DNA sequence: AGTGCATATGCTGTCAATGGAAAATGAAAG
DNA sequence: CTTTCATTTTCCATTGACAGCATATGCACT
């Protein structure tokens, strides 16, 4: 992966937040939409962007589409997510996102939601 | 410095090469032009871009203008330059640039060039 | 086939970034 | 004060990224 392309990818807070979330495991689009509180179409486009870049992979589970980080993790990606967490937590809502993610996982366990398998597969 | 702005700055190989060079100490525009083998006006614009971003500082020495990294070094900047050197040395000509820089410094010592003080001030 | 939910695509206007050519500034030297 | 060298600015055309909206696809259930 060309470093310049990676940096272009990093130029959007939403993309950074998505990458940070996926770092802890796969998620389906509806979860990302809920956590980021953003337009579905927009999220979709970001996901496609990062998939074409080779950063993400996707898989279908029934109606849902599950995205995960691509296998070969880019050193730039890891370093930067760490650095952002350490130094820019007021600027990017990584912590809040991760908390929301836990809340969703919990809720789905209780409700035994159909979509739950997406997270745990 | 907003991380997004920093990443936008990183989206250009020439800017990365400039930052890498300045990490080892200040340089004047003419040296950067020589090392990067690029259009002088273009370099100028990049320098201005990074100065307005707060990443660089400049000072005049006679006819020459000397650029250096701003005092407060951004953790993102340091981390990324290191990471790029480690993992992408085939993609970005950091090593060659640094060698050229040494060659210039040496040559100027011999010639006792007027511009030399710029590097060493 | 027809409905509903989840996800994706296409199109269009807008705005920022980039490059090239020409002109302008600032400092030193004749 | 004119020339020269180093650097910067301005203007203009082009490109690329992005948001918004409408529309389309894919899958499951009936």
């Amino acid at each position: 992966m060309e470093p310049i392309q990676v940096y272009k990818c990093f130029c959007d807070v939403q993309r950074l937040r998505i990458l940070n979330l996926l770092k802890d495991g796969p998620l389906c689009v509806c979860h990302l939409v809920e956590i980021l509180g953003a337009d579905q179409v927009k999220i979709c486009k970001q996901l496609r962007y990062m998939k074409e870049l080779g950063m993400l992979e996707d898989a279908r589970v029934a109606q849902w589409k599950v995205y995960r980080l691509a296998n070969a993790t880019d050193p730039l990606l890891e370093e930067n997510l760490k650095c952002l967490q350490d130094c820019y937590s007021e600027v990017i809502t990584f912590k809040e996102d991760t908390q929301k993610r836990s809340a969703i996982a919990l809720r789905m366990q209780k409700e035994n939601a159909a979509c739950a398998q997406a997270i745990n597969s």
Side-chain angles (χ1 to χ4, degrees), chain A:
Chain A
M1 236 176 304
E2 285 283 329
I4 298 296
Q5 292 309 113
V6 177
Y7 287 131
K8 281 191 184 161
C9 173
F10 289 171
C11 286
D12 184 284
V13 181
Q14 231 166 36
R15 284 196 288 264
L16 288 172
R17 289 170 67 192
I18 292 173
L19 289 169
N20 179 62
L21 281 164
L22 294 183
K23 193 163 145 280
D24 296 334
L27 281 173
C28 75
V29 182
C30 60
H31 299 140
L32 287 168
V33 169
E34 181 176 347
I35 296 174
L36 300 187
D39 180 32
Q40 179 264 329
V41 172
K42 211 179 147 192
I43 301 279
C44 242
K45 285 179 182 171
Q46 310 273 33
L47 290 169
R48 183 189 181 183
Y49 176 105
M50 292 191 277
K51 183 187 162 191
E52 287 185 346
L53 217 145
M55 239 168 194
L56 303 186
E57 290 169 356
D58 62 347
R60 197 169 258 294
V61 179
Q63 304 103 318
W64 297 279
K65 202 114 172 226
V66 179
Y67 283 85
R68 68 184 68 232
L69 287 190
N71 297 335
T73 317
D74 193 312
L76 279 182
L77 178 56
E78 269 190 273
E79 282 300 322
N80 279 286
L81 287 181
K82 194 145 54 78
C83 196
L84 288 170
Q85 278 177 334
D86 291 346
C87 308
Y88 298 91
S89 57
E90 335 79 43
V91 184
I92 306 186
T93 60
F94 280 170
K95 277 184 202 163
E96 291 86 331
D97 290 347
T98 306
Q99 285 169 1
K100 279 189 197 169
R101 184 220 182 88
S102 309
I104 288 180
L106 205 65
R107 189 189 74 208
M108 295 212 310
Q109 270 192 345
K110 282 189 191 164
E111 297 176 358
N112 197 19
C115 182
Q117 51 185 319
I119 279 191
N120 304 315
S121 66

